[in-house]
Every structure is written in structure tokens, then in C-alpha cells.
Amino acid sequence: MTQSVEQKASGAESATNAWLTAFQQALTARDADAAAALFASESYWRDIIAFTWNITTVEGRAGVADLLRATLDEVDPVGFAATEEPAEDGGVITAWIAFETRAGRGSGLLRLVDGKAFTLLTTLDELKGHEEPLNGRRPLGVRHGAFRDRVTWAESRVREAAELGYTVQPEVLIVGGGQGGIALGARLRHLGVPTIIIERGRRPGDSWRKRYKSLALHDPVWYDHLPYLPFPASWPVFSPKDKIGDWLEMYAKVMELDYWSSTTCKSAVREGDEWAVVVERAGADGTAAEITLRPRQLVLALGASGLPSVPEIPGRESFRGDQHHSSAHPGPDKYKGKKAVVIGSNNSAHDICAALWEVGADVTMVQRSSTHVVRSDSLMDLGLSDLYSERALAAGVTTFKADTIFASLPFRILPAIQTPVYNAIRERDAEYYRRLEQAGFDLDFGEDDSGLFLKYLRRGSGYYIDVGASELVASGEIKLAKGQVVELTENEVVLGDGTRLPADLVVYATGYGSMNQLASDIIGQDMADRVGKVWGLGSGTTKDPGPWEGELRNMWKPTAQEGLWFHGGNLALSRYYSLYLALQLKARLEAIPTPVYRRAEVHHAE
Amino acid sequence: MTQSVEQKASGAESATNAWLTAFQQALTARDADAAAALFASESYWRDIIAFTWNITTVEGRAGVADLLRATLDEVDPVGFAATEEPAEDGGVITAWIAFETRAGRGSGLLRLVDGKAFTLLTTLDELKGHEEPLNGRRPLGVRHGAFRDRVTWAESRVREAAELGYTVQPEVLIVGGGQGGIALGARLRHLGVPTIIIERGRRPGDSWRKRYKSLALHDPVWYDHLPYLPFPASWPVFSPKDKIGDWLEMYAKVMELDYWSSTTCKSAVREGDEWAVVVERAGADGTAAEITLRPRQLVLALGASGLPSVPEIPGRESFRGDQHHSSAHPGPDKYKGKKAVVIGSNNSAHDICAALWEVGADVTMVQRSSTHVVRSDSLMDLGLSDLYSERALAAGVTTFKADTIFASLPFRILPAIQTPVYNAIRERDAEYYRRLEQAGFDLDFGEDDSGLFLKYLRRGSGYYIDVGASELVASGEIKLAKGQVVELTENEVVLGDGTRLPADLVVYATGYGSMNQLASDIIGQDMADRVGKVWGLGSGTTKDPGPWEGELRNMWKPTAQEGLWFHGGNLALSRYYSLYLALQLKARLEAIPTPVYRRAEVHHAE
């Protein structure tokens, strides 16, 4: 076999190596200024617990120097190197990197422009001595040999489940057993952190099953994998809600999670370095018993949204038809031929309107403020498919790489990156948007035209991913009314302009309260105020007041309250950040030093 | 970027390409003799449904020419080509190949020696126009748009499950819901073949859960994956039985199999081109109802073994202690301090002896004939790890490649390939074997020293994969007795040489009857006789009478009875051959011509 490869480094490769060598030298010399000088004047270093034991982004050379001065001695970073050949595109070199710290092994993504770092992402992916039991480290399962009084796997699982929470206290209590709690629970199980997940629902997955029957994931399958056990190659692109429910249920089982269903959290009080959490758990016979758990760490994974938010409307009590919040909507089946008024114009409102129309109800949507609408196809093609698609996978973009690429884009510059995507979508779907506007629908693309994902990060609402309802709105099949609801009569919804909408059914697709509000029911208002607002970037846009935070408030990182954590987000965020939250919890269990750099200030109690 | 790769084909590559080009030319010219001349005088072509709609191995040039003359016109093979760079080792070139037939797309493995084919494996992997809905072909899950009277996924699943077997007849009925039935059911679901699996047990996985409590898989995890959904990277090397049970249960659920548990098959009668199968299915209230199913295809997946086989021993009824077959052994817990006699010396006997010893029973094993014993570690290191291990995966040997490599070794030469492996094991573990023999244990390595896997293929018994019990035998902790059991008294087991073994417990680890016997209970003795023996190669060794068959009798391929199929084997064989059995069934559903070349003759009714 005669093959020769000329081993001359590419320009991208030599530039990357030169930068990494200089950076490592500066770090080794503990020379924060020399390291900072390798960054461009406009530059961003996002660190996820590798240097800072925080999730934080510093900006510019001063930011970099400050971070390094505060962390270098403790972190002792070594071995910065590229892990594959860097790519160059439009003057930007992108390099996958790896490094080690005193505590663990990390990776990241570096973007160089003119030889200087424009963005750097660093993440700590595993703790030395506490690596996950994967592949070559997987457990044997059964201990070969002969041992007196052997305990089998099944016996040991039964015993563990019976003891945890009763005679053995969990290290971590996760309140909320949706995809967030389950993904984090699986990470913690792999890291050997004793954890209980509590969930109101009767079965894992009920948070999906119990919702309106037409619900399906609006995100495609490539974006939705849970850790460790990806969906099979035949899994549908958009999971119907019950199928996701079944998947979560089997996942919790095969991952051996200590998942307490039919359990509610009554209160959590901090006592010394642990929590006293009172929960009510239903027994096999259905009777509920109060139990006080004493975890050191409390994770609230209550969903990206808080309690159902129903507006105060005069006359609500006199309305004679059915009325309920979208979260309690049973589905359309009994409303065939009835007059339905759906208040709101975001995802749930559209889904419910379309499902009611499909059974032959007379449907009116009440739009109270402008809404961002994007066709699902366009979002997939232009917004996601470089990272999450069969095409991306074929190009070597694994789920972890896609997550990392997305995480490597600093929130500060994300609007500038996203706006062109949505401009392209507006152009591609110009006729579609024209028809929606002609039907009277008020559109927006976010206050700075940055589109859906930023709306999600800033306020978690204000949009509809169109899977079919917009055509019904455009064609008038779903009637459109606009303005605020000022009154309900026995059989009408009355709007501010005097419009009277006859109604047999009123659905309040009016969103949810804040996560903080939900938390306050558990940890009390005082502590909730001290911890402050959860979610949002401080962008100074609607529902996301400034000042600028640089990261999502309180998510997956240390809060103002020691031992209190927030976890959640869509399946993708739950998957990615659960690793880093789990490592923070594991490090604390193992008493590995975790000095937090620049713990975020609290600006909004909310 | 300056890189130059000299594109000069390697010797292996040019030899492979030359062979494939000549082979394709001969096939295109329908010149069977020219194609046969490309094979060595000693050569083997194993075809799995690509050319023959059978699983068959032809030998030598005459065999090749005969196969081609019979099949070429119908198969119309095109596009024979290598799919990656061939490897050369010790004068043997190994090449991964692909091709197409009129019906579908195939792949395989070619071994060349001195420019001639020594072995060729061809498999048909998918049917044109009926490809599995994987990756880019996966279903959308939810239909975007608005449609009157939409049916959701959950509603459609409920309806399908309620109708199948009642108002809609299944195309395929699989009797037996262990790993074999489940793997095949998943394949058929992906191919859109309406299938019911019936299983006596209450839950999928009960065939594992109900066995003795110390049972774990003796095969390592890399060998055990089911189709579509591999075990996660943290799955234990040797699955404890209950964990496998849970996995099978969740797999049947998320794969949406129509799995009728608590259902028994009473009889199956062929009527025209379908079956009338009477089953008894337990309802939700526990009462059983008889239902007649009318599938066109009947698959018996009853396990590699038949009914528990308990020897007729005089005095059995007078024995006052506990006595049961190994399949009914509850585990050791209530035998602490008791005297246990375990009759048999294969896997179950060893496992049960060790577990009894572990709780402190006084244990005697009765060895009735010589046994093949291999240490699990040695089997993994020397027998499996080139194909099924972390090391193999790291070297690019995926599960499908490993399965294909194994399938590419013709059964005729497998003993010659396996014997050196077991010779190496004997050398490595010489001291271990010496100690076992010193303790009086009768060892063998198969009649031709070809070891465990050939014993499995020939007779499915006669061995123990040592996970710890042999040390107890060698050290005398498990006492050893030898010979035939001639009588039971009230409290003793009496052997042929007059030895009397006091016993509170007798376990008959005496194996199982034949698959054919189990089948005859369902299809009747006449049809069972006509179909003949199932499993075994015709090697002329114990329990595997000749003549030589070349393939496993009746497994995964057409039998003497149209519409009757046998499926099973360990997890690995169930995984691999379920694809090819499923494709045979799908082709028949779609009325794709499936002329069977050289349907095996029946030599043994048994």
C-alpha cells in the first residue's frame, strides 16, 4: 500500500496551535494580562464551571484578565490543545479544544479572527476520579466469583429504593419530574449522587400526557434527545405528546431513577447546611403520608413556566359555558358544533384553535398583542438544520457538538447572529406573512427582529411555531378578534372595542406565571425574593428587564441561596445543562473546592 | 491548506476490484461457470436471502455454479463493489462489499486468497420500495396542517391495538415473547407488517425475571444489543436477569409492539394459505377468552430449548424434600443449612450450586457426563473481544459488522477456526483446568475440541461459562458426585455406583427437550414430523446427527411447511437473523417473488 500524506499544517491549524500554545504559556506563567492580550478587543469568554464554577461570560480583555486573576491558582489549567483540524470560514477559524484543570477534564470551542480570540467557550466535562461509568468504565453488573450472602441487583435496587428518603437521606432532591428532572436525575445516578425526584403526576411523562390531545413537540427529534439513550433512528421527527410520555416513563425506569410519583412538595426550609423538605407521598393504597426529607441540595425543576395565569375578568363567574386555562383543556372532542373563544395567540392558543376547528367547532382566537409566528419547516431548514438534522449528523455534527456550538455563541451577540436567519425566513415566507397580516393578524419578530429563540430566552413566550393553524387564521377558518377582554356575560366574551363574541367555551391560553412565583410556594416568599427572578437575560425587552445579565438568570448555576438550584428548559437545554449542574452537585458532595467566580447579582425579586 | 494524497490503489484494493469486476461481468453475462471459476477449489459461498431466498452455503465451484444457474435470471445482481478499503492479513484479503438485486440492496464480506474467493457472504439488507423508516425516512409523527377529524397518535395506537386480532387479522403471529419474538416484532413493525406476539408470561421480560435469582447474562453487553435501540454506554457488562427483563418490557412498549401477554397458544392448523390459531388471552379482569387468529405466517419463537426435561427416576414420588427442575428453582434463600443435590453440570447446575453455597447450603453437584467449562474472562478476551468489546468498537467494528463477520464464517470451517481459540484458552488456563480435573471434574472441549460456540450450535448444551462456581468445585466447597442417578429415597439421591447422597432438596438441572417437541404441541405431531428437527448442523456429534446440513436446521428460513418459521437463539443471533426473517416475511406480504433455492431436506423427525 503506497500512500503518502504531506504533513504540512494548514494555515488554520498553525494559527490555532500558535494561539493555544501562547495561551497555555500565559496561563502556566499565571500572567492574566498576557493571556488577555490574546483576545480581540471585542471578545467573549463563556465559561461553564471549568474556571469559574459558574456559568458566566466575560467580555473584552479586561474581563478575561479579571476572570483569570481570580481563578488561575485554584484551577491550574494545563494541556490546552486542538482535538481535530480547525476549520476556516470567512476569516473565522473555529477550533475544537480540550484541556485539563486541577479538578477535571474540559473541552470547548475557540473562534479566532486575525489571530485573536473572538469567542472562547470552556466547559468542564468530567471530574477526575469521578468519571461516569461509561463504555470501558461500565459496571460489571454481576460480580463473578462466589460470595457468601450475595445480594442480587434486583434485591439491592429494592433495598435502595426502600431506604432512600427514609433511613438514608438523599444528597439531592429534585422537585419536578418532567424531562428536566429526569435528565438531571439520570446524570446524578451516573455520578453516584443519591437523588430523589418528586413529581405530582401519577406516572413519569404525565406532564405531557395530561395536556390537550393534539399536542406534539414543536422541536424536531434531533434536538430532543435525552442523555445516554438517544431516540432510535425510527423515532418520529415531531413526537406526539403520549409517545414522549411513554419514553420518559421507560427512561426513568431503565435509568433506575428514584422517582417518587404522586408526590407533592409542601415546603422547604433551609436548616444549617441542609434542607428540611416536607413532601406528601401517596402510598400504594392511595393514602398520602407526610415525609420530611433532608437533602443538602434542592433543585427546582418545575418547568420553564410557573402556575397557569388566568386574567381577572369581570363576569367570569356568570359565564355558563365551559371555561378553563389552556393547561386544563381536555381537547376538542366535546365541542363539535360549539362556539369556542380562545384568548391568546401563542403556541397553545394556536394548537387548541386548530384542534377545535378540526372537530368542527366555530372558533375565534382573541389576539391581545402581536405574536411572532414562524413556519415549522422554515425554522427547521434555516434555523436548526446546520446543527440538528440528519444532514448535520452526516456532516459529523453530533448532538454534543451541536449543543456545544450553540453554547459557544455568547448571548450578547446572539441577536446579531439570529436576525439574519429570521430575515431570510421573512423573505422565504413573504407571501405567507402577507396573507396573515391581510387577515388582520399582528406579527412581530421580536423587538429587535431577532426571532424565536431569543424570545424564548428572554421571556419564554410570545410566539407560535406554525404546524398548521396559521393557514386557518389566514383563510378566516379560525376567526380573529383583537384587543383586551373586558367582560364575560352568561354566554359572551366582550372585548374592549365593544365586540361581543358568543361562546359555549372559553379557553384562557394566557400563559403562565413566573418560575420564581412557583418557587415561592415551596421556599417561601422571602427566600424567593432574595434569589430573585429566574430565566431571562436582562435584555431590556418586554418581560425581560435590564440590567444586562449575560446569562440566563439563576439557571443551572449557583444562586444567592446556597444549596438552591434551578433546572429546566426545553429538552435540548435540559440535556446539555444537566451535565454541568450534575457536576456542580457532585463536586459539592465530594468536597472538591468550588469557589464561585462572579456570582450573579439579584436585580429583580419578581 | 497543502495536502496531497497519492491515489495509488493498494494491492489488496486492486485485487479486490479486479475480482469484483470479473464477478460482476460474469453475473451480467449470466455465465455461471465463469463466475464459479473465480472461486478457489475449496471455497464457500454463504447466502442469506440475497440470491436464494434461503439461508444456505454452497461449496466449491460446482456449488457456486449451481446456485447461480438457478438464481441469476430472477435475482439480476448488479453493482458489486467494495464499500471501503480492503484489508490484507496473512495472505487473506478481506473486503466489505455491496450490491443490488432486483428486489433489494445487499452487502457482504469477501475473502480472497491468491486472487480467488475463499469465502463469500451475501445478505439482502433491504427491499427496494420497502426500506425501513430510519433516519431521513423516519415518520413525521404529527401531520402538519389542519385536517377535519384528525386522529392523534395515541388514538390511532389504541384503535390499532383494539382491532388487531379481532376485526383486522395479523399477517404474522409470533408465538413466544422473549428476546427473539420481541426483536423480530420490532423488525416487522418497522417494515409495516401487522404482527401479534403472544406470550404466556404476565409482562414482557418475565421469561428472565421468573428464573433463579442469581441468573445473569453470561454473554457481555456488546454481544447482546437489540435492533434499533442499543443499550446505553453505562449498561453493565453482564446484565442481571431482572434488568434484562425491564429492558425487554420497555422495549416492547416504546417499539409499539402488539404484545399479548398472559396469552397461550392452544393449537395451530393450516387452512389454505393461512393459519387458524386458537389462543387463550387473559382479559383485564383476569378471565381468559379463546380467540382464533388467522395469520398467513406463523413464527415459533419458543426459546432455544423445549420443555423442561426431568429424568424418570424410581422413587421420585417418595422423596420428602423439595424437588424441582432448574427452570422452576426459586433461588437459594430458603435452603440455608440444608443439604442440596443438583443433578447436572451445565450452566444452570453451576449457577444454582454456587447460589446455594453462597447462602450456606451443603451442596453436591452430580456430574453425569463430561462438561465443557470456559472461564468467562478467557472467553471474552480470546473468544469474543475481536468482535464484541469496547476495543472492537474503537477499531470500527460496529455491531452489524461484527455480526456480519461472524456470519461470514461457513459452518463447515468454523471448527477449524474455533479450535485454536480454545487451545489458547486451555494453555492460558492450564492450572485452572488441572485443578478442576484434580477435583474429579470431567472436562471436555467438544468432541473435536472446537469449544463452546460449536457446542451451542450443534446441541445447545454441554457447557458452563464459569463466572465463579468452578472455583468452588475445584476447592471442594461444592462437592462433586459422578454417574447416573438410579433412585430417590425419602431423603437420599442414590447413584449407579451405590453412592447415597442425603438431600433436603433435589434440583434437576437436566436440560430441556427439543424445540420440535415444543412445536408439536402447537402444530401437531404430524406437521412437526414433516418439518423435522430444529437447530443443529448435522455435524455427526452427540445430539447432532448427520448428514451434514451446512446451516442450522429450520432456523430463520423456509421450512418444509409453507408459512411456518422458527426464530430464536441468544440475543446476538436473534438480533442478526431477525432482520433476514423479517425481510422474508415482508417480501411475501408484498408478493415479491421469493423462489427458494435448495430448500433443506428433512432428515430427522425428532
Side-chain angles (χ1 to χ4, degrees):
Chain A
M1 184 174 138
T2 323
Q3 266 201 357
S4 75
V5 178
E6 203 178 325
Q7 290 288 356
K8 189 169 158 194
S10 69
E13 197 170 346
S14 57
T16 301
N17 290 342
W19 192 93
L20 288 168
T21 303
F23 188 58
Q24 181 61 63
Q25 278 171 353
L27 300 185
T28 303
R30 302 290 185 264
D31 186 342
D33 291 320
L38 295 166
F39 285 71
S41 56
E42 186 200 342
S43 55
Y44 307 88
W45 180 1
R46 185 170 195 221
D47 180 65
I48 300 180
I49 74 166
F51 282 70
T52 62
W53 288 105
N54 197 354
I55 301 179
T56 195
T57 303
V58 293
E59 302 191 3
R61 291 171 188 148
V64 169
D66 186 69
L67 185 156
L68 286 174
R69 267 192 291 274
T71 61
L72 265 180
D73 285 338
E74 179 67 35
V75 172
D76 190 23
V78 296
F80 267 88
T83 51
E84 57 187 83
E85 200 180 330
E88 181 159 8
D89 184 24
V92 181
I93 294 170
T94 303
W96 293 94
I97 61 170
F99 59 92
E100 291 194 17
T101 69
R102 186 168 291 149
R105 291 172 206 89
S107 66
L109 199 58
L110 168 69
R111 288 189 188 83
L112 295 176
V113 177
D114 296 333
K116 301 285 186 189
F118 171 51
T119 71
L120 173 63
L121 170 74
T122 48
T123 64
L124 186 75
D125 302 333
E126 65 180 5
L127 295 165
K128 289 177 186 168
H130 306 285
E131 294 81 2
E132 293 187 323
L134 302 180
N135 302 315
R137 297 181 197 270
R138 69 175 81 224
L140 202 56
V142 69
R143 192 174 161 207
H144 287 176
F147 308 95
R148 291 291 189 190
D149 302 316
R150 177 195 293 267
V151 177
T152 68
W153 172 83
E155 288 167 335
S156 138
R157 255 313 273 150
V158 166
R159 183 196 292 176
E160 179 186 47
E163 289 176 349
L164 195 67
Y166 296 90
T167 57
V168 175
Q169 285 304 317
E171 170 75 6
V172 177
L173 177 68
I174 302 173
V175 184
Q179 66 260 19
I182 285 175
L184 179 62
R187 300 276 195 196
L188 291 168
R189 160 64 76 175
H190 280 76
L191 288 167
V193 180
T195 300
I196 292 174
I197 302 169
I198 64 172
E199 163 62 35
R200 275 178 314 183
R202 200 172 59 77
R203 294 159 60 197
D206 274 0
S207 55
W208 287 94
R209 289 192 197 91
K210 297 290 187 196
R211 304 227 28 221
Y212 55 87
K213 77 170 191 174
S214 64
L215 181 65
L217 288 192
H218 288 189
D219 290 323
V221 61
W222 309 280
Y223 190 62
D224 300 329
H225 294 298
L226 291 172
Y228 309 112
L229 190 63
F231 295 112
S234 53
W235 202 259
V237 177
F238 300 104
S239 284
K241 71 180 177 77
D242 297 276
K243 201 162 164 64
I244 277 288
D246 288 350
W247 183 262
L248 291 172
E249 185 172 14
M250 82 78 197
Y251 185 93
K253 174 81 178 175
V254 301
M255 289 292 162
E256 303 179 24
L257 306 188
D258 288 290
Y259 189 101
W260 291 13
S261 51
S262 304
T263 302
T264 51
C265 185
K266 317 291 283 184
S267 67
V269 177
R270 185 76 178 170
E271 293 180 355
D273 66 349
E274 65 181 29
W275 294 90
V277 185
V278 179
V279 308
E280 195 172 86
R281 184 184 194 189
D285 59 355
T287 61
E290 250 186 32
I291 303 156
T292 300
L293 299 172
R294 298 195 163 274
R296 290 209 308 155
Q297 310 288 347
L298 177 65
V299 180
L300 301 183
L302 299 163
S305 315
L307 294 171
S309 168
V310 177
E312 287 301 321
I313 300 172
R316 271 195 58 185
E317 66 296 343
S318 62
F319 181 69
R320 289 197 180 168
D322 285 2
Q323 55 176 323
H324 43 243
H325 187 263
S326 58
S327 59
H329 179 61
D333 294 345
K334 62 177 182 170
Y335 302 109
K336 181 184 169 92
K338 304 284 187 187
K339 289 180 170 42
V341 174
V342 177
I343 301 169
S345 54
N346 288 347
N347 268 332
S348 295
H350 276 87
D351 278 351
I352 290 169
C353 283
L356 286 165
W357 177 89
E358 287 181 337
V359 300
D362 176 77
V363 188
T364 303
M365 177 190 288
V366 180
Q367 186 177 32
R368 301 177 302 162
S369 58
S370 72
T371 309
H372 177 39
V373 173
V374 195
R375 292 181 58 238
S376 173
D377 283 357
S378 301
L379 189 64
M380 294 246 290
D381 291 351
L382 300 176
L384 276 175
S385 71
D386 284 350
L387 297 181
Y388 301 98
S389 65
E390 294 297 331
R391 180 168 67 79
L393 285 171
V397 185
T398 61
T399 306
F400 182 73
K401 276 194 166 178
D403 289 350
T404 304
I405 292 169
F406 208 86
S408 77
L409 303 170
F411 289 120
R412 177 82 87 180
I413 60 172
L414 199 52
I417 294 169
Q418 291 277 289
T419 300
V421 174
Y422 288 87
N423 287 344
I425 289 176
R426 289 162 92 150
E427 197 177 310
R428 164 172 158 154
D429 295 332
E431 172 62 16
Y432 162 86
Y433 288 120
R434 199 193 55 72
R435 291 186 62 227
L436 267 178
E437 289 186 310
Q438 209 162 40
F441 196 86
D442 284 341
L443 290 168
D444 72 63
F445 281 78
E447 285 169 43
D448 53 359
D449 291 335
S450 60
L452 193 139
F453 198 71
L454 276 150
K455 271 206 167 183
Y456 173 63
L457 294 173
R458 289 164 174 172
R459 52 180 284 196
S461 65
Y463 48 81
Y464 169 53
I465 299 176
D466 179 20
V467 292
S470 293
E471 177 56 35
L472 298 176
V473 172
S475 65
E477 293 285 327
I478 293 173
K479 294 168 197 158
L480 192 62
K482 283 158 67 174
Q484 301 305 313
V485 178
V486 293
E487 188 190 351
L488 258 63
T489 68
E490 283 189 3
N491 51 14
E492 291 165 318
V493 174
V494 185
L495 303 185
D497 65 357
T499 304
R500 306 180 81 84
L501 304 169
D504 303 307
L505 164 68
V506 176
V507 179
Y508 301 98
T510 43
Y512 295 84
S514 67
M515 273 197 266
N516 186 278
Q517 172 206 333
L518 211 54
S520 72
D521 288 350
I522 293 171
I523 56 175
Q525 194 63 53
D526 281 0
M527 189 180 284
D529 286 350
R530 197 143 39 77
V531 170
K533 190 170 167 61
V534 181
W535 203 259
L537 300 168
S539 62
T541 59
T542 305
K543 300 192 182 178
D544 183 29
W548 178 249
E549 305 274 355
E551 295 288 342
L552 280 171
R553 297 182 189 89
N554 279 320
M555 292 303 295
W556 314 297
K557 63 182 183 178
T559 67
Q561 172 60 55
E562 199 62 39
L564 179 68
W565 309 80
F566 291 87
H567 177 61
N570 59 25
L571 283 151
L573 296 177
S574 291
R575 167 184 66 239
Y576 184 70
Y577 288 101
S578 58
L579 170 60
Y580 303 109
L581 176 49
L583 290 173
Q584 290 173 78
L585 296 168
K586 175 68 172 176
R588 281 160 177 83
L589 171 62
E590 300 297 339
I592 294 167
T594 56
V596 177
Y597 170 72
R598 238 181 45 155
R599 193 183 296 249
E601 285 173 42
V602 175
H603 299 106
H604 303 281
E606 188 183 341
Chain B
M1 187 174 138
T2 323
Q3 269 201 357
S4 75
V5 178
E6 203 177 326
Q7 290 290 356
K8 189 170 156 193
S10 69
E13 198 170 346
S14 57
T16 301
N17 290 341
W19 192 92
L20 288 168
T21 303
F23 188 58
Q24 180 63 62
Q25 278 171 353
L27 300 184
T28 304
R30 302 290 185 263
D31 188 342
D33 291 320
L38 295 165
F39 285 72
S41 56
E42 186 200 343
S43 56
Y44 306 88
W45 180 0
R46 184 170 196 221
D47 181 64
I48 301 181
I49 76 167
F51 282 68
T52 62
W53 287 106
N54 197 355
I55 302 179
T56 194
T57 302
V58 292
E59 303 191 4
R61 290 172 191 151
V64 170
D66 186 68
L67 184 158
L68 286 174
R69 267 193 288 273
T71 61
L72 265 180
D73 284 337
E74 179 67 35
V75 172
D76 189 23
V78 296
F80 267 88
T83 51
E84 57 186 81
E85 202 181 329
E88 181 158 7
D89 185 24
V92 181
I93 294 170
T94 303
W96 293 94
I97 62 170
F99 59 93
E100 292 195 17
T101 68
R102 187 169 290 148
R105 292 174 204 87
S107 65
L109 200 58
L110 168 69
R111 289 190 187 82
L112 294 176
V113 177
D114 294 333
K116 301 284 185 191
F118 171 51
T119 71
L120 174 63
L121 170 73
T122 47
T123 64
L124 186 76
D125 302 333
E126 65 181 3
L127 295 166
K128 289 177 185 169
H130 306 284
E131 293 81 1
E132 293 188 324
L134 303 181
N135 301 314
R137 297 180 196 270
R138 67 175 83 222
L140 202 56
V142 68
R143 192 175 163 208
H144 287 175
F147 308 94
R148 291 290 188 190
D149 302 315
R150 178 197 293 268
V151 176
T152 67
W153 171 84
E155 288 167 336
S156 137
R157 255 313 274 152
V158 166
R159 182 196 293 175
E160 179 186 46
E163 290 177 349
L164 195 67
Y166 296 90
T167 58
V168 175
Q169 285 305 318
E171 169 74 7
V172 177
L173 177 68
I174 302 173
V175 183
Q179 66 260 18
I182 285 175
L184 179 62
R187 300 276 195 195
L188 290 169
R189 160 65 76 174
H190 280 76
L191 287 168
V193 180
T195 300
I196 293 174
I197 303 169
I198 64 171
E199 162 62 36
R200 275 178 314 185
R202 203 173 58 76
R203 294 158 61 197
D206 274 0
S207 55
W208 287 95
R209 289 192 197 91
K210 298 288 186 198
R211 303 218 40 213
Y212 55 87
K213 75 171 192 175
S214 64
L215 180 66
L217 289 191
H218 288 190
D219 291 323
V221 61
W222 308 280
Y223 190 62
D224 300 330
H225 295 297
L226 290 172
Y228 308 112
L229 190 63
F231 294 112
S234 53
W235 202 261
V237 176
F238 299 104
S239 284
K241 72 181 177 76
D242 296 277
K243 200 162 165 65
I244 277 289
D246 287 351
W247 183 262
L248 290 172
E249 185 172 16
M250 83 77 198
Y251 185 92
K253 173 81 179 174
V254 302
M255 289 292 163
E256 304 180 24
L257 306 188
D258 288 289
Y259 190 102
W260 292 11
S261 51
S262 303
T263 302
T264 51
C265 185
K266 316 291 282 186
S267 66
V269 177
R270 186 75 178 172
E271 293 181 354
D273 66 349
E274 64 180 30
W275 295 90
V277 185
V278 180
V279 308
E280 194 172 87
R281 185 184 193 189
D285 60 356
T287 62
E290 247 183 37
I291 303 156
T292 300
L293 299 172
R294 299 196 162 272
R296 291 209 308 153
Q297 310 288 347
L298 177 65
V299 180
L300 301 183
L302 299 163
S305 314
L307 294 170
S309 168
V310 178
E312 288 300 321
I313 300 172
R316 270 194 62 187
E317 67 295 341
S318 63
F319 181 69
R320 291 198 178 167
D322 285 0
Q323 56 176 322
H324 43 244
H325 186 262
S326 59
S327 59
H329 179 61
D333 294 346
K334 62 176 182 170
Y335 302 109
K336 182 185 168 93
K338 303 285 185 186
K339 289 179 168 43
V341 174
V342 177
I343 300 168
S345 55
N346 289 347
N347 268 331
S348 295
H350 276 86
D351 279 351
I352 290 170
C353 283
L356 286 165
W357 177 88
E358 286 181 338
V359 299
D362 177 76
V363 188
T364 303
M365 176 190 288
V366 180
Q367 185 176 30
R368 300 176 304 161
S369 58
S370 72
T371 309
H372 176 41
V373 173
V374 194
R375 291 182 58 240
S376 172
D377 283 357
S378 300
L379 189 63
M380 294 247 290
D381 290 352
L382 300 177
L384 276 176
S385 72
D386 284 350
L387 297 181
Y388 301 99
S389 65
E390 294 298 331
R391 178 168 69 77
L393 285 172
V397 184
T398 62
T399 306
F400 182 72
K401 277 193 164 177
D403 289 350
T404 303
I405 292 169
F406 208 86
S408 76
L409 304 170
F411 288 121
R412 178 82 85 179
I413 59 172
L414 200 53
I417 294 169
Q418 291 276 291
T419 300
V421 174
Y422 288 86
N423 287 343
I425 288 176
R426 287 163 93 151
E427 195 176 313
R428 167 173 157 154
D429 296 331
E431 171 62 15
Y432 162 87
Y433 288 119
R434 197 194 55 72
R435 289 187 61 228
L436 268 178
E437 289 186 311
Q438 207 162 42
F441 195 87
D442 283 340
L443 289 169
D444 73 65
F445 281 77
E447 284 169 43
D448 53 358
D449 290 336
S450 60
L452 192 138
F453 197 71
L454 276 149
K455 270 206 167 182
Y456 173 63
L457 294 173
R458 290 166 174 173
R459 53 180 283 198
S461 65
Y463 48 83
Y464 170 52
I465 299 177
D466 180 20
V467 292
S470 293
E471 176 56 36
L472 297 177
V473 172
S475 64
E477 292 285 327
I478 293 173
K479 294 169 197 158
L480 192 61
K482 281 156 73 172
Q484 302 305 312
V485 178
V486 293
E487 187 190 353
L488 256 64
T489 69
E490 284 188 6
N491 52 14
E492 291 166 319
V493 174
V494 185
L495 303 185
D497 66 357
T499 305
R500 306 181 82 84
L501 304 169
D504 303 306
L505 165 70
V506 176
V507 180
Y508 302 97
T510 42
Y512 295 84
S514 69
M515 273 197 265
N516 187 278
Q517 172 204 338
L518 211 52
S520 72
D521 288 349
I522 293 172
I523 56 175
Q525 194 62 53
D526 281 359
M527 189 180 286
D529 285 350
R530 196 143 38 79
V531 169
K533 189 170 167 64
V534 181
W535 203 259
L537 299 168
S539 62
T541 59
T542 305
K543 300 192 182 180
D544 183 29
W548 178 247
E549 305 273 354
E551 295 288 341
L552 280 172
R553 295 182 190 87
N554 279 320
M555 292 303 296
W556 315 298
K557 63 180 182 179
T559 66
Q561 171 59 55
E562 199 62 39
L564 179 68
W565 310 81
F566 291 87
H567 178 60
N570 60 24
L571 283 151
L573 295 179
S574 291
R575 168 184 66 239
Y576 184 70
Y577 288 101
S578 58
L579 171 59
Y580 302 109
L581 177 48
L583 289 173
Q584 292 173 78
L585 296 168
K586 174 69 172 175
R588 281 159 177 83
L589 171 62
E590 301 295 340
I592 295 167
T594 55
V596 176
Y597 170 73
R598 234 179 49 155
R599 193 182 296 249
E601 286 173 44
V602 175
H603 299 107
H604 303 280
E606 191 186 338

